[in-house]
Amino acid sequence: MIEIKHLKTLTTLRETGSLTATANALYLTQSALSHQFRELESRLGSPLFLRKTRPVRFTPEGLILLGLADDILPKLHLAEHQLTHLKAESTGRLHMAIDCHSCFQWLMPALKSFQQHWPEVTLDFSSGFAFDPIPALSAGELDLVITSDVQTRHDVYYHPLFDFEMRVIVSPNSPFATQTQIYPEDFLDSTLISYPVAKNRLDVVKHFLQPAHCEPKNWKHADNTLMLIQMVSANLGIAVLPNWAITEFAQQKLVVSLPLGEGLWRRLFAAIRYNEQSRHYLQAFFSTAQSHCQEHLSDIKSI
């Protein structure tokens, strides 16, 4: 019986103080406005305001409807704003860089699941090996970076995903295969096989070798995880990888997995721009990635 348009018309009449100004404000003819009021007053059985008064004076019935309008219209405007915001948040761009090559193992299945629920978010990614991705994130060239390397910046937020252990893999024929753990000094006469990344960006270098002032005797590079595993299995060197990336190969006895000293644990983060934390699709990505990893990756610790 009482419609939203009636409440909006009454509040406009209160603001303008005259029927002529109300009609202009609502882009109605005066006859259409008068018809709207006559129809509503006929339904209610009483007038809503006194004609030919300046400013307009409302009847008790009109004041009741104005009170209703003051209660309902702000809530309606808020709901409309929230709905528009949600619709806008369902679309966007997620251009990411991966600072850890072995992350592809879990990232691609997680992205597939994410796309099923957020099909209007455009996905793309770059390798983070040829450049430092965090400055690119700050500059807006990237939207998210998967990394374990936290660089303190006021404009970057690091969302924790899970904890993992960095472990050494060696050939079953390596002398190290009989040890219970690997020490920094063991690298001095060894060839370390790694992804083609700057040395100072490798966790094993920053958090294990540099503090002990140790440097591998030789370096070799492998472009992907499978090639790296095959090189280690052939006893061409040793490598350090996250625990989830080597479980299958260790079970197949292609390599032997050993802890770095008493164990080197790291935390993986999804880095985004600080002012974009509230974006719904980013929060959904965090949730999807964490739940997928907890379900499918072994030996990680949830946060």
Side-chain angles (χ1 to χ4, degrees), residues 204-226:
V204 64
V205 172
K206 291 189 298 182
H207 304 289
F208 189 70
L209 295 178
Q210 281 185 350
H213 305 288
C214 292
E215 171 84 10
K217 181 178 180 180
N218 298 301
W219 291 83
K220 290 182 182 293
H221 289 153
D223 291 331
N224 58 67
T225 302
L226 185 57

Side-chain angles (χ1 to χ4, degrees), residues 6-61:
H6 297 142
L7 301 181
K8 291 181 177 179
T9 300
L10 279 171
T11 57
T12 303
L13 179 59
R14 180 178 61 186
E15 293 168 3
T16 63
S18 74
L19 289 174
T20 300
T22 299
N24 292 334
L26 297 177
Y27 301 99
L28 296 172
T29 63
Q30 289 196 28
S31 60
L33 180 63
S34 297
H35 176 74
Q36 183 184 135
F37 277 127
R38 284 197 303 269
E39 182 184 28
L40 179 58
E41 289 173 333
S42 176
R43 293 180 187 178
L44 297 175
S46 61
L48 297 175
F49 59 94
L50 302 179
R51 269 68 174 177
K52 299 181 180 180
T53 60
R54 274 189 180 275
V56 66
R57 291 172 56 191
F58 292 92
T59 64
E61 291 82 1

Side-chain angles (χ1 to χ4, degrees), residues 162-190:
F162 56 84
D163 291 344
F164 63 96
E165 184 184 8
M166 297 295 296
R167 293 181 68 88
V168 180
I169 54 172
V170 302
S171 167
N173 298 320
S174 168
F176 295 132
T178 58
Q179 295 185 194
T180 57
Q181 62 190 68
I182 292 289
Y183 301 94
E185 294 77 12
D186 291 325
F187 285 77
L188 294 175
D189 295 319
S190 300

Side-chain angles (χ1 to χ4, degrees), residues 53-290:
T53 60
R54 274 189 180 275
V56 66
R57 291 172 56 191
F58 292 92
T59 64
E61 291 82 1
L63 292 173
I64 289 175
L65 290 186
L66 283 172
L68 180 63
D70 290 338
D71 182 48
I72 290 179
L73 292 181
K75 294 179 180 178
L76 178 64
H77 294 157
L78 176 61
E80 290 174 341
H81 173 76
Q82 290 173 332
L83 289 171
T84 301
H85 184 66
L86 282 175
K87 184 177 181 181
E89 282 291 320
S90 68
T91 62
R93 185 192 77 165
L94 190 54
H95 188 180
M96 62 179 67
I98 300 91
D99 211 10
C100 164
H101 204 302
S102 51
C103 286
F104 281 100
Q105 181 176 336
W106 61 262
L107 179 61
M108 301 315 294
L111 284 177
K112 183 178 180 179
S113 177
F114 173 79
Q115 281 185 301
Q116 292 175 352
H117 296 91
W118 297 84
E120 295 184 24
V121 175
T122 302
L123 294 177
D124 196 5
F125 58 87
S126 304
S127 168
F129 304 132
F131 66 101
D132 188 350
I134 297 299
L137 173 67
S138 295
E141 299 169 15
L142 298 172
D143 304 303
L144 185 146
V145 177
I146 303 295
T147 183
S148 61
D149 183 16
V150 174
Q151 301 178 26
T152 303
R153 301 175 65 110
H154 73 278
D155 57 344
V156 175
Y157 167 72
Y158 291 87
H159 182 88
L161 296 176
F162 56 84
D163 291 344
F164 63 96
E165 184 184 8
M166 297 295 296
R167 293 181 68 88
V168 180
I169 54 172
V170 302
S171 167
N173 298 320
S174 168
F176 295 132
T178 58
Q179 295 185 194
T180 57
Q181 62 190 68
I182 292 289
Y183 301 94
E185 294 77 12
D186 291 325
F187 285 77
L188 294 175
D189 295 319
S190 300
T191 296
L192 179 60
I193 307 173
S194 69
Y195 300 122
V197 181
K199 296 177 183 179
N200 60 1
R201 293 176 58 192
L202 294 172
D203 283 338
V204 64
V205 172
K206 291 189 298 182
H207 304 289
F208 189 70
L209 295 178
Q210 281 185 350
H213 305 288
C214 292
E215 171 84 10
K217 181 178 180 180
N218 298 301
W219 291 83
K220 290 182 182 293
H221 289 153
D223 291 331
N224 58 67
T225 302
L226 185 57
M227 180 186 296
L228 189 151
I229 295 289
Q230 291 173 336
M231 292 174 68
V232 171
S233 183
N235 207 16
L236 299 179
I238 64 177
V240 178
L241 290 174
N243 51 6
W244 80 76
I246 59 181
T247 301
E248 176 184 354
F249 303 105
Q251 290 174 346
Q252 296 176 18
K253 300 188 184 305
L254 294 174
V255 295
V256 175
S257 171
L258 300 169
L260 286 160
E262 299 299 323
L264 176 61
W265 283 83
R266 302 289 295 145
R267 177 163 292 180
L268 197 66
F269 297 88
I272 61 173
R273 285 180 289 278
Y274 197 88
N275 60 1
E276 296 190 344
Q277 294 179 56
S278 61
R279 289 190 180 272
H280 288 78
Y281 63 84
L282 289 175
Q283 293 295 327
F285 173 80
F286 299 155
S287 177
T288 300
Q290 286 177 300

